[in-house]
């Protein structure tokens, strides 16, 4: 990355986020599936669970870090299982795209004391995406609570996404877990194919403003 001398001046941004999301535009909308599969560590050994997932991804207004310009989606993923109504997994964050460089980023926050910033690159029309993060990396890293660091340390995170021809997309997530007292690292996997059930809402800057009466 070339850092310019002027790190304060912001570029002119388009108000139409959807038109500037590059490969992330295919993720926008409301998605559902009942066919997710989770493979996770338990005391008795690996456990396989089928889960239901709903993910909402909505465009946000353009974001600037001085001359760096990002377009993105804010998302919320909620997962439960057929046999339990309680939350199996909940996750919020952003998918971000930098048109000037092809950088894509995913931020993750989960309500068990863990955050992740994962990164990768892609072309504007790519039909596959990959971002990854590693524990200790100061650019694309993983931060966890003291307990998780000691009991279920996450050393690596990766998600691979494939956009399908039938308006669905599939993903595989891989998490390398160091489980307390066990070797080797556990290969924690989640897979799913999501179908679109609703279109996204335009970002606030792009929503037409009402014309005052009498104007």
């Amino acid at each position: 990355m070339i850092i310019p001398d002027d790190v304060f001046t912001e570029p002119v941004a388009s108000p139409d986020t959807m038109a500037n999301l590059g490969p992330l535009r295919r993720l926008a909308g409301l998605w559902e599936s009942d066919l997710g599969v989770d493979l996770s560590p338990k005391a008795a050994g690996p456990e396989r669970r089928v889960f239901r997932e709903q993910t909402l991804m909505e465009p946000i207004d353009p974001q600037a870090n001085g001359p760096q310009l990002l377009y993105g989606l804010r998302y919320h993923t909620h997962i439960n299982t057929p046999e339990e109504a309680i939350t199996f997994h909940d996750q919020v964050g952003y998918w971000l795209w930098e048109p000037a460089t092809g950088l894509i980023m995913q931020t993750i926050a989960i309500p068990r004391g863990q955050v992740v910033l994962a990164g990768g690159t892609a072309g504007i029309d790519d039909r596959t995406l990959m971002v990854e993060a590693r524990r200790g990396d100061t650019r694309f890293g993983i931060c966890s609570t003291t307990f998780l660091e000691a009991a279920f340390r996450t050393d690596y995170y990766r998600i691979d996404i494939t956009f399908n021809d039938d308006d669905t997309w599939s993903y595989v997530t891989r998490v390398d877990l160091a489980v307390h007292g066990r070797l080797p690292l556990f290969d924690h996997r989640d897979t799913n194919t999501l179908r679109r059930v609703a279109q996204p809402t335009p970002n606030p800057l792009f929503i037409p403003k009402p014309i005052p009466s009498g104007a």
Side-chain angles (χ1 to χ4, degrees):
M1 180 178 293
I2 299 174
I3 306 298
D5 292 335
D6 178 4
V7 296
F8 296 99
T9 303
E10 297 181 358
V12 176
S14 168
D16 187 356
T17 293
M18 283 297 298
N20 291 276
L21 276 174
L24 299 184
R25 67 189 183 275
R26 297 187 179 93
L27 291 174
L30 178 64
W31 306 85
E32 292 182 349
S33 174
D34 295 331
L35 303 175
V37 176
D38 171 82
L39 183 65
S40 59
K42 299 296 179 183
E47 179 182 71
R48 183 183 185 275
R49 297 282 296 273
V50 174
F51 61 79
R52 299 167 174 166
E53 177 174 353
Q54 183 181 81
T55 292
L56 176 64
M57 300 207 192
E58 297 280 33
I60 61 172
D61 286 340
Q63 305 292 310
N65 296 318
Q68 183 184 43
L69 182 61
L70 303 170
Y71 294 90
L73 298 165
R74 179 181 60 250
Y75 74 88
H76 176 211
T77 295
H78 182 79
I79 292 174
N80 61 11
T81 60
E83 62 271 16
E84 292 181 310
I86 63 173
T87 299
F88 184 66
H89 180 78
D90 199 78
Q91 180 174 314
V92 296
Y94 295 91
W95 278 96
L96 302 169
W97 161 254
E98 185 180 20
T101 65
L103 173 67
I104 53 174
M105 294 180 284
Q106 181 194 20
T107 73
I108 298 170
I110 60 175
R112 289 183 286 109
Q114 189 172 67
V115 293
V116 178
L117 175 61
T121 57
I124 192 169
D125 292 318
D126 282 3
R127 299 186 66 85
T128 60
L129 305 176
M130 187 278 288
V131 294
E132 60 185 347
R134 289 178 171 82
R135 177 175 175 268
D137 191 323
T138 58
R139 301 166 307 152
F140 301 116
I142 301 162
C143 185
S144 307
T145 65
T146 301
F147 176 81
L148 288 179
E149 275 287 291
F152 299 99
R153 191 184 73 227
T154 300
D155 284 355
Y156 179 71
Y157 165 83
R158 170 174 173 155
I159 182 169
D160 290 89
I161 289 175
T162 300
F163 298 110
N164 307 312
D165 293 332
D166 59 351
D167 200 27
T168 65
W169 56 279
S170 305
Y171 70 80
V172 178
T173 63
R174 169 188 163 190
V175 175
D176 289 349
L177 283 177
V179 181
H180 178 67
R182 299 190 179 186
L183 290 173
L185 295 178
F186 185 85
D187 183 7
H188 181 191
R189 301 266 177 150
D190 287 283
T191 62
N192 206 353
T193 295
L194 294 147
R195 64 186 184 279
R196 193 197 310 266
V197 296
Q199 295 295 326
T201 301
N203 56 292
L205 188 60
F206 195 62
I207 296 175
K209 302 299 185 292
I211 300 175
S213 61

